[in-house]
Amino acid sequence: MEALERSREYVLGLFRIVVGLLFACHGAATLFGVLGGPHGAAPHFAAWPGWWAAVIQLAGGALVLCGLGTRVAAMVCSGSMAYAYFDVHQAHAVLPIENGGEPAAMFCWSFLLIAALGPGRWALAPLARVRRQPAAGGSRAAA
């Protein structure tokens, strides 16, 4: 168990990277017709909710993948998948196995976990922070 605890941040980082990549690929497929294309008809530009969902998938997935603004991006992604589940899938049946909503449910809960636990290892956010160094000799005097 101790070995598992020591690898927690690495496993969480890998989980974040894989979930973000899969979500970004889904958005790219919907928006640009790549990677097998959209599942169903491609949404028209700015059409609600399909086009906006795909933009959230691509942008949010890329941010989570890179570890930039991870908690906020993951929360938005989780919310979009909750909306997709309740608006699109639940009308057909209650359980995800019956209504085809397994991917929406899995993405929703996966992103909620990432939002709660943070990015883990290999996130780019620490590299993007600007670190200020104090000026030599203390404070600057007005000239």
Side-chain angles (χ1 to χ4, degrees):
M1 285 303 221
E2 188 177 318
L4 287 175
E5 188 58 36
R6 278 186 274 128
S7 64
R8 180 178 183 266
E9 290 294 313
Y10 297 99
V11 172
L12 182 56
L14 286 172
F15 180 74
R16 171 188 50 81
I17 290 166
V18 170
V19 170
L21 176 65
L22 292 173
F23 207 57
C25 287
H26 192 74
T30 302
L31 287 174
F32 306 118
V34 297
L35 305 170
H39 301 285
H44 295 288
F45 179 77
W48 178 260
W51 187 84
W52 293 100
V55 169
I56 290 171
Q57 291 164 4
L58 180 59
L63 287 170
V64 169
L65 166 68
C66 296
L68 294 169
T70 305
R71 289 180 190 256
V72 172
M75 201 65 188
V76 170
C77 293
S78 177
S80 74
M81 287 294 95
Y83 176 85
Y85 181 78
F86 288 112
D87 187 59
V88 176
H89 299 285
Q90 197 176 40
H92 303 291
V94 175
L95 298 175
I97 195 71
E98 296 174 321
N99 63 28
E102 299 100 328
M106 287 296 294
F107 274 125
C108 176
W109 287 103
S110 296
F111 282 117
L112 187 61
L113 183 67
I114 293 168
L117 298 179
R121 294 286 180 171
W122 306 304
L124 296 180
L127 300 176
R129 289 189 188 116
V130 177
R131 296 184 181 180
R132 294 184 176 183
Q133 298 294 331
S139 62
R140 292 184 184 172

